[in-house]
Amino acid sequence: MKAHQSSFFDGGKRLQMTESIELTIQSLQAYLPDHPDVGIAWSGGKDSTATLTMIVWLIESRKIPRPRSLTVFYADTRQELPPLAIAAEQIMDELRERGIRVEVVTAPMDKRFMVYILGRGVPPPNNNTLRWCTRQIKIDPMQAALTERIAEFDGKFLMITGVRQGESAIRDQRIEMSCGKDGAECGQGWYQKVLPDAKGLSGILATLAPLLHMRVCHVWEWLKHWAPLVEFGDWSTAMIADAYGGDEAEEINARTGCIGCPLAAEDTALNTLLRNPAWAYLSPLLGLRVLWRELREPKNRIKKAGLERLKDGSIAKNPQRMGPLTLEARLMGLERVLGIQAACNAAANAQGRPRISLINAEEEARIRELIAAGTWPDGWEGDEPSAETVMPIVYQNGAVQPLLFSAEEAS
Ligand code: SF4
């Protein structure tokens, strides 16, 4: 049995923790009797891992009714921070040892983050353009997995999410649906909002967030000190803190999502992880954000030459808009990511630390195949000019502003 670690929770604060868990128990007791089949949406981040391990412990200790079926849906984006990915693997083993069904939910090959960018040529997401990534690598695969699983049941399915807002949100009676807030896991609010509207699932699927009220200090207390104890399930949750800043995780309150997320103002989770000497060997990962930014530059993209007529016959709002990545830029990006992966793994081998997988062999083969086939996103042919080409400006009403100096005039 692992040693009990003392914490400031011993004593009076422990009572608060117990009260918080009691609220979780009450919410589950209210919903479980009407929903015999239960799923848990698990991202591997702190809130959903606390939710998952606590619920399994509550079932095993008979504090809540055992559902007729329990399925854990692990959303594997292939972009997780290494300590989270490693902890998730261990926890999946611990779930399977208990006979709990675990489904690893991954986007179809061509929709995965790396394949979509480097194979299909869609530019990395940023805050100014449509953010395709959260829906594509997190929400849609989860909806598809759920739809398939729910077809096996009659009656209502209860999907449990790790959405947590803490006490202030409960007080305000307001649930923030954004997934970009400090300390949140990218996509977490979306599960609550999007999943019940999934095609064919409305009316059958209910969602419940039994840790909605829980304070972040209680989540850390559970993951670091309670869950690893045999009496609470003997879970491999302690390593999760590393991805959020180790012992200072609570103060840093990092938002976690993909490694090198191009949308985060600062990659706090990766930066704090690298300050931990045990994980410093992963510093080449810092090159990912640099690469995503570089790929969005005009020299790596093509653009529309003038007015663009859309499928519905209307004129696109943004004539001469910049579009996909050139084939050369995609190959360059692929080599850079493979180089980052190789550098991390060489250091991992030398130091006896865990290896990482940014692009696996299957994904690399698919990316090369898509590039070799000259694949372009919908609406693009690949014969459009380089986005660096200087040309007369075309306005949406068709007006053209000629260049002040054309190449011939200048020569
Ligand atoms: S963490 Fe960033 S890159 Fe990943 S899905 Fe969320 S917004 Fe997109």
Side-chain angles (χ1 to χ4, degrees):
M1 177 170 163
K2 292 165 190 167
H4 174 73
Q5 301 172 44
S6 66
S7 79
F8 74 97
F9 273 87
D10 291 337
K13 294 273 171 62
R14 190 182 171 98
L15 189 63
Q16 283 183 12
M17 177 81 172
T18 310
E19 284 168 359
S20 190
I21 294 176
E22 187 53 40
L23 274 179
T24 298
I25 294 173
Q26 284 173 18
S27 69
L28 289 159
Q29 281 174 341
Y31 279 84
L32 287 177
D34 287 341
H35 297 84
D37 300 303
V38 174
I40 301 179
W42 175 40
S43 71
K46 68 181 192 311
D47 296 330
S48 64
T49 304
T51 306
L52 167 67
T53 50
M54 194 178 289
I55 287 176
V56 174
W57 165 66
L58 290 172
I59 293 171
E60 286 178 341
S61 56
R62 298 171 189 268
K63 290 181 171 39
I64 56 172
R66 182 177 291 272
R68 179 171 66 189
S69 75
L70 176 64
T71 312
V72 175
F73 297 88
Y74 171 53
D76 183 5
T77 62
R78 300 271 304 112
Q79 301 293 119
E80 308 299 332
L81 280 166
L84 294 182
I86 296 163
E89 288 294 334
Q90 291 172 352
I91 292 168
M92 278 192 273
D93 286 344
E94 291 159 3
L95 290 165
R96 290 184 177 123
E97 278 164 16
R98 291 166 156 90
I100 294 173
R101 178 170 168 164
V102 181
E103 285 195 20
V104 179
V105 179
T106 309
M109 177 61 75
D110 286 7
K111 297 273 179 100
R112 294 186 193 172
F113 194 80
M114 296 284 183
V115 181
Y116 203 59
I117 294 173
L118 300 174
R120 199 168 167 76
V122 175
N126 75 351
N127 281 313
N128 300 327
T129 53
L130 183 71
R131 183 218 284 197
W132 51 263
C133 47
T134 311
R135 177 173 275 282
Q136 187 166 307
I137 66 177
K138 299 191 170 184
I139 308 297
D140 289 351
M142 190 62 85
Q143 284 190 351
L146 255 177
T147 309
E148 206 172 296
R149 181 85 174 112
I150 288 177
E152 297 170 26
F153 302 110
D154 50 350
K156 287 186 176 172
F157 194 87
L158 181 66
M159 190 66 163
I160 292 175
T161 72
V163 177
R164 192 192 56 78
Q165 295 291 324
E167 288 171 336
S168 60
I170 301 292
R171 240 191 343 258
D172 295 351
Q173 297 287 303
R174 180 169 49 86
I175 300 171
E176 179 59 64
M177 288 302 175
S178 137
C179 58
K181 299 193 81 167
D182 272 359
E185 294 154 20
C186 165
Q188 71 158 358
W190 288 45
Y191 286 123
Q192 186 93 344
K193 188 167 110 172
V194 179
L195 286 181
D197 299 333
K199 252 190 232 141
L201 298 184
S202 56
I204 308 171
L205 179 70
T207 53
L208 176 68
L211 264 61
L212 192 71
H213 60 280
M214 199 167 270
R215 291 160 63 177
V216 70
C217 56
H218 290 153
V219 169
W220 286 122
E221 178 64 11
W222 173 261
L223 293 174
K224 290 205 291 190
H225 302 304
W226 292 41
L229 297 175
V230 169
E231 60 191 291
F232 295 107
D234 197 14
W235 298 102
S236 299
T237 48
M239 192 197 282
I240 291 171
D242 280 355
Y244 291 83
D247 289 339
E248 281 86 50
E250 195 182 323
E251 293 76 55
I252 294 168
N253 201 24
R255 163 191 189 268
T256 56
C258 302
I259 311 171
C261 166
L263 281 94
E266 196 193 338
D267 201 340
T268 318
L270 179 59
N271 292 339
T272 46
L273 180 69
L274 297 178
R275 281 200 285 276
N276 179 338
W279 295 103
Y281 72 99
L282 296 177
S283 62
L285 291 176
L286 291 170
L288 285 175
R289 263 164 75 88
V290 178
L291 173 64
W292 302 144
R293 210 173 307 131
E294 195 178 320
L295 283 175
R296 292 192 61 87
E297 290 173 6
K299 67 175 186 215
N300 290 317
R301 299 167 66 181
I302 56 177
K303 71 175 175 185
K304 293 286 179 187
L307 285 183
E308 180 192 1
R309 197 165 287 283
L310 301 173
K311 273 187 196 155
D312 63 4
S314 63
I315 302 285
K317 281 200 189 106
N318 185 6
Q320 298 178 322
R321 72 190 164 100
M322 277 211 284
L325 306 178
T326 63
L327 299 174
E328 298 72 32
R330 293 183 226 173
L331 273 175
M332 176 275 285
L334 174 62
E335 297 307 331
R336 287 259 289 272
V337 177
L338 291 175
I340 289 169
Q341 175 171 271
C344 289
N345 286 337
N349 292 345
Q351 297 173 29
R353 298 286 298 149
R355 292 168 60 87
I356 59 157
S357 163
L358 294 174
I359 294 181
N360 62 28
E362 207 188 348
E363 289 158 350
E364 180 185 345
R366 183 60 182 153
I367 291 169
R368 292 196 190 279
E369 190 178 31
L370 288 165
I371 296 174
T375 314
W376 295 92
D378 290 346
W380 296 84
E381 302 296 332
D383 55 2
E384 294 86 352
S386 158
E388 278 191 315
T389 313
V390 180
M391 51 178 66
I393 297 168
V394 178
Y395 295 96
Q396 203 193 355
N397 64 5
V400 177
Q401 181 181 315
L403 293 175
L404 280 181
F405 302 100
S406 69
E408 293 84 59
E409 286 165 345
S411 62

